Amino acid sequence: MDGLVITPMLVVLVAAVGTLLFRRQPRVRLAVSLSGAVGYAVAVAALAWYVVIAPAAPGIATYQVGDWPAPFGITLVADGLSVFMLSMVATIGPASLVFSARYLPKYDRRTFYYPLSHFLLLGVTGAFLAGDLFNLFVWFEVMLMASYVFVAYYGGPQHTRAAFWYVALNLVASAVFLLAVGGIYATTGTLNMADIAQRLADPAAAGIDPAPVVGLLALLLSVFAIKAGLVPFQFWIPTAYRAAPPPITALLAGASKKVGIYAIIRLSFTVFAGAQVPVSLPWVSGSSPLAFVGPILFVMAAGSILVGGLGAVGRDSVEGVLAYSSIGQVGFIAIPVAIAATTSSPTLRRVGILAALVYALNHTIAKGLLFLAAGTIESATGTTDLDELGGLAGRSPALSSAVFVGTLALVGIPPLSGFFGKLLVFDTAVRAGAASVLALLLVGSLLTIAYTSRAWNRGFWGVRTPAVEDAAVDPIQVAILVGLAAAILAVGVEFESVYRFADAAATAALDTESYVEAVDPQAVNGGEQP
């Protein structure tokens, strides 16, 4: 059954190749793409059941590509954390692809859109399952290469400009990532994550000096902060999100951005947390690399909440509000991770990661819904400028209801999924006794209420504008939005099950011993090589 680990990657890879082979047969190509999307969701559901949900679930499963044992071969690892992240992608990915079938003009269906969409999903999936740093880098690049094309997809001057800055920034980030990977290999003698964790936990036995780990982790943290869009690396988000097609923006915000968050959690807590490395800097000191991660991540998260919230309040288009909102919302995800990194309490550390994961789940569904809604509004009215919208609530009650649910989820109104995510984030701050963090979270929540209310009042209330009066709303697009809104409500109503899943994910992120035992890296010196 460990073969299930690689199944989501195989499904999406077959779909990508299939859509390339049938490029001259649009209907067949579309059928292959949609079948791949459904198959991907089924494969992730089966993997989640086998690894986490089933009564006798092992909690972790590994797949050694080519039967080469770790750390010599390529290892894929599915534990509670990676499967939870994959479940987010399996929610928004198929919705985005189905939406694309209705949103894109006929010409676009015969081009590279669908193959690249599946390659984007392949990169995200590979990053979540990668068991070594080099392959994490490789899957990052697969994801990024597809996203480069999508940012420049429409080919206008603003799209080209956005793509230029997006590519330039990520090329620098990739170079830094590769530099850090090389440094870690030079320091530890391995790139397998389980093997790195094992060697850092007992450096004397491995014959290594773990001192450089703090600096190398700082390089990785900057790279992952760029991928997640944390301040001060957020400046690519507004232009890139406005340039890409709305279904792809839903994927970028709902899935790609979470790869950065996942990598921060996985490497900081599963891989490097066990290293006994004294950290002595003017603003922080401790005996673990986490002593450095916590304060830096908190500063980034605080900046993201404020910059994103204030920026969203001042935007005059739907996608502009949503782009800056994504910056602010990722700050809410990073805050409990920062608290988890600074505390010495195992319980608070688990609660912090759990809160981040639940909030990330809500952000994936709600923000994916809202970006798809922006595409629906644009295709129906020809604009997303709030000055040209008004009266949408009366023109399309179903569309408006779905958007209303998505905005309430961002605000955190019960019984929607966003309420539980925000509640857990506040609970983490209360348990930590961090009054300044609570004040920051309150300010961020008020800003969320401000920009969602402003966008709703200008776009959905009031007198219908000419653009809204003549709008032709696509019923299939609206049905997809309603389905995502129902998912938001279902997560809230069945939150006990979601909580158990997220708790298993948080536990897996902190259980380095089980991770190492499952991968079972052989000794490089003295081990029996294949």
Side-chain angles (χ1 to χ4, degrees):
M1 293 295 288
D2 285 351
L4 282 174
V5 175
I6 201 173
T7 303
M9 296 178 66
L10 292 178
V11 169
V12 75
L13 179 60
V14 169
V17 174
T19 52
L20 284 172
L21 293 176
F22 292 104
R23 64 187 182 87
R24 298 186 182 276
Q25 298 172 274
R27 292 186 178 180
V28 178
R29 185 183 202 182
L30 179 59
V32 170
S33 179
L34 297 182
S35 298
V38 173
Y40 179 79
V42 171
V44 171
L47 183 60
W49 172 263
Y50 169 63
V51 173
V52 179
I53 302 173
I60 187 169
T62 62
Y63 183 85
Q64 304 291 350
V65 178
D67 286 332
W68 284 58
F72 308 103
I74 297 172
T75 304
L76 302 177
V77 184
D79 62 356
L81 177 60
S82 55
V83 171
F84 188 87
M85 305 302 291
L86 284 174
S87 299
M88 299 185 199
V89 181
T91 301
I92 194 60
S96 172
L97 286 167
V98 175
F99 187 93
S100 299
R102 302 291 297 186
Y103 179 82
L104 294 173
K106 292 183 179 180
Y107 173 76
D108 287 329
R109 296 179 191 171
R110 296 195 298 272
T111 60
F112 44 75
Y113 182 93
Y114 289 110
L116 285 174
S117 296
H118 289 286
F119 279 117
L120 178 61
L121 286 176
L122 177 63
V124 172
T125 305
F128 287 147
L129 294 175
D132 67 88
L133 287 179
F134 183 75
N135 279 284
L136 179 64
F137 168 80
V138 168
W139 293 119
F140 260 90
E141 294 306 301
V142 172
M143 175 184 71
L144 286 171
M145 283 189 288
S147 65
Y148 293 155
V149 180
F150 283 127
V151 174
Y153 187 76
Y154 290 118
Q158 69 273 28
H159 309 102
T160 304
R161 188 181 307 111
F164 174 81
W165 288 111
Y166 182 62
V167 171
L169 176 65
N170 279 286
L171 286 178
V172 173
S174 296
V176 174
F177 194 170
L178 201 56
L179 179 65
V181 168
I184 289 171
Y185 183 77
T187 300
T188 64
T190 182
L191 291 177
N192 183 278
M193 295 184 193
D195 203 23
I196 294 172
Q198 184 173 253
R199 287 162 168 259
L200 290 177
D202 191 2
I208 63 173
D209 178 11
V213 162
V214 175
L216 296 169
L217 183 56
L219 291 179
L220 291 173
L221 185 61
S222 66
V223 172
F224 301 145
I226 291 174
K227 310 302 184 186
L230 286 164
V231 168
F233 307 110
Q234 85 293 346
F235 48 85
W236 63 269
I237 288 180
T239 54
Y241 281 16
R242 286 196 297 266
I248 296 302
T249 305
L251 274 180
L252 293 177
S256 298
K257 179 176 280 196
K258 304 308 183 300
V259 175
I261 296 295
Y262 165 82
I264 291 173
I265 294 174
R266 172 65 78 198
L267 294 184
S268 298
F269 295 94
T270 310
V271 179
F272 292 109
Q276 294 298 310
V277 181
V279 178
S280 181
L281 298 171
W283 65 89
V284 63
S285 62
S287 60
S288 165
L290 290 179
F292 172 83
V293 171
I296 297 300
L297 193 58
F298 173 76
V299 172
M300 291 180 176
S304 299
I305 290 173
L306 296 176
V307 170
L310 292 172
V313 169
R315 298 305 102 185
D316 292 320
S317 66
V318 175
E319 69 267 27
V321 172
L322 296 178
Y324 276 93
S325 169
S326 290
I327 298 171
Q329 294 298 308
V330 79
F332 279 94
I333 299 171
I335 281 288
V337 179
I339 293 174
T342 55
T343 184
S344 59
S345 167
T347 300
L348 182 56
R349 184 168 288 180
R350 179 181 58 80
V351 169
I353 296 176
L354 189 154
L357 294 175
V358 173
Y359 203 101
L361 172 63
N362 173 70
H363 181 264
T364 294
I365 305 175
K367 194 54 65 68
L369 184 160
L370 293 173
F371 273 117
L372 293 180
T376 300
I377 293 170
E378 183 181 23
S379 61
T381 66
T383 183
T384 58
D385 192 330
L386 292 172
D387 291 332
E388 299 179 23
L389 298 174
L392 275 170
R395 183 67 181 81
S396 179
L399 167 62
S400 304
S401 298
V403 172
F404 191 60
V405 170
T407 56
L408 291 182
L410 288 184
V411 172
I413 302 299
L416 304 178
S417 58
F419 167 74
F420 296 100
K422 192 154 287 186
L423 177 65
L424 287 170
V425 171
F426 273 87
D427 178 57
T428 303
V430 170
R431 293 189 186 210
S436 59
V437 176
L438 284 171
L440 173 67
L441 294 174
L442 181 59
V443 170
S445 298
L446 292 175
L447 288 172
T448 304
I449 294 172
Y451 64 70
T452 53
S453 300
R454 178 175 176 271
W456 176 264
N457 289 337
R458 294 180 64 185
F460 291 85
W461 284 149
V463 179
R464 293 184 194 176
T465 62
V468 173
E469 189 66 43
D470 298 334
V473 181
D474 188 295
I476 302 300
Q477 293 179 7
V478 173
I480 295 168
L481 302 181
V482 170
L484 290 173
I488 291 172
L489 181 60
V491 170
V493 173
E494 291 294 328
F495 184 69
E496 183 178 352
S497 299
V498 175
Y499 181 90
R500 288 198 297 268
F501 193 3
D503 187 52
T507 301
L510 298 172
D511 193 355
T512 302
E513 183 178 349
S514 295
Y515 188 89
V516 172
E517 288 180 357
V519 175
D520 189 26
Q522 297 183 9
V524 175
N525 296 317
E528 184 179 333
Q529 300 190 28

